[in-house]
Amino acid sequence: MNNNKDGGLHARILGAQIFRNAVCIFLCILSLIPFWIMIVNATRTSVAIQSSFSMIPSTHFSENWQNLLYQAAQNVSLWKYMGNSLFIAVGSTALAVYFSTMTAYGVTVYKFKGSNFAWAFIMAIMMIPVQVSTIGFFRFMYKVGWGNSYWPLIVPAIASPSTVFFMRQYMISALPLEILDSARIDGSNEFRTFNTIAVPLMKPAIATQCIFAFIASWNNFYTPSMLLTSQAKFTLPMFVQQMRGERFRSDHGIIYAGLVVTIMPLFIVYFILSKYIIAGVALGGVKE
């Protein structure tokens, strides 16, 4: 009797696991379909894209790619647009993640008069939409001489309340204060303690926020289009927006080839940093 009950229980558990895995696989495939369709359309001609739907790649990617390079070179090289976006995204990501981690470290580790107010102020900033401060930000950047430059797209990233919030929540559970106290007793100064002890322990959270910050900066169209006026300084999303003009609208193959080029750096950054996230999850799974 007990064997029958145990067998039935194991069968139900196995069935639940199979169902869960099937749902996860289905959702994964469902999320990848739009990317696959985009890649497939980048290999097809504009006439084929307009006339039929296909999930099978064609052989016209090289042609679309050459046409994209030629059309982009009419103003500025496609690699110039990509280099502009990469410079802004890397710079803003580094500043946002490092200084947000430092801010979260200060709010979490140090208990001082006004620390609760400082944290409440950071949370209040998160509630303010970007559009509310757009006009003031635009005027201030031009008054300090940063109009039509990359600095307004990089330096303000130092103040990133959402990243501070995430890092603080991670630190509360993953950063043992006893280790920091031991480092202070051994004579380590605060800056060295932060860089050599806190930052390595925060690698999974830092990798996660690097992905989010890089994607947000790379895909940012609103702020660059407001500040950048020189064609040579345009970012890749601004070039993609130009592709919707009359010069590109008739050739969908070029548009899809441009979209594929736009998302490739995002996949590269994710695959580079995802190992740190997986390592952090595995470490947390065995921690007592």
Side-chain angles (χ1 to χ4, degrees), residues 27-175:
L27 294 176
C28 180
I29 294 174
L30 193 65
S31 64
L32 292 176
I33 286 178
F35 296 102
W36 178 250
I37 294 175
M38 179 178 60
I39 294 173
V40 168
N41 285 339
T43 66
R44 305 172 69 202
T45 63
S46 181
V47 176
I49 293 172
Q50 291 177 305
S51 61
S52 62
F53 173 80
S54 176
M55 296 283 287
I56 302 174
S58 185
T59 58
H60 297 278
F61 179 77
S62 177
E63 177 184 344
N64 292 332
W65 173 250
Q66 293 300 325
N67 290 336
L68 175 65
L69 292 178
Y70 173 78
Q71 293 289 355
Q74 300 299 312
N75 294 315
V76 180
S77 170
L78 177 65
W79 304 113
K80 177 65 175 175
Y81 294 124
M82 185 172 292
N84 295 341
S85 290
L86 189 63
F87 175 73
I88 295 170
V90 171
S92 61
T93 298
L95 292 179
V97 174
Y98 181 78
F99 284 98
S100 294
T101 304
M102 185 179 293
T103 303
Y105 177 83
V107 174
T108 305
V109 174
Y110 305 120
K111 299 303 178 182
F112 54 92
K113 186 177 181 180
S115 60
N116 292 333
F117 172 79
W119 179 243
F121 180 76
I122 293 173
M123 292 297 96
I125 294 297
M126 287 180 58
M127 307 303 171
I128 301 176
V130 177
Q131 292 77 7
V132 173
S133 60
T134 296
I135 297 177
F137 176 74
F138 177 81
R139 295 181 62 184
F140 178 66
M141 290 299 104
Y142 269 88
K143 281 187 177 181
V144 298
W146 281 4
N148 191 32
S149 70
Y150 298 139
W151 298 118
L153 306 174
I154 298 176
V155 176
I158 292 176
S160 181
S162 59
T163 307
V164 174
F165 173 78
F166 180 90
M167 301 303 289
R168 181 180 182 271
Q169 297 305 112
Y170 188 88
M171 282 184 183
I172 291 174
S173 60
L175 184 63

Side-chain angles (χ1 to χ4, degrees), residues 183-226:
R184 295 189 186 103
I185 294 173
D186 291 338
S188 175
N189 59 54
E190 295 301 323
F191 192 72
R192 182 181 179 184
T193 301
F194 170 74
N195 286 289
T196 60
I197 297 178
V199 170
L201 291 174
M202 297 292 294
K203 276 185 179 180
I206 290 174
T208 302
Q209 290 306 302
C210 280
I211 293 173
F212 291 155
F214 186 89
I215 291 175
S217 179
W218 182 270
N219 291 333
N220 187 13
F221 171 77
Y222 178 72
T223 309
S225 63
M226 179 180 65

Side-chain angles (χ1 to χ4, degrees), residues 12-27:
R12 287 195 295 270
I13 294 175
L14 181 61
Q17 291 177 344
I18 293 174
F19 177 76
R20 181 187 60 191
N21 293 339
V23 170
C24 291
I25 293 172
F26 172 75
L27 294 176

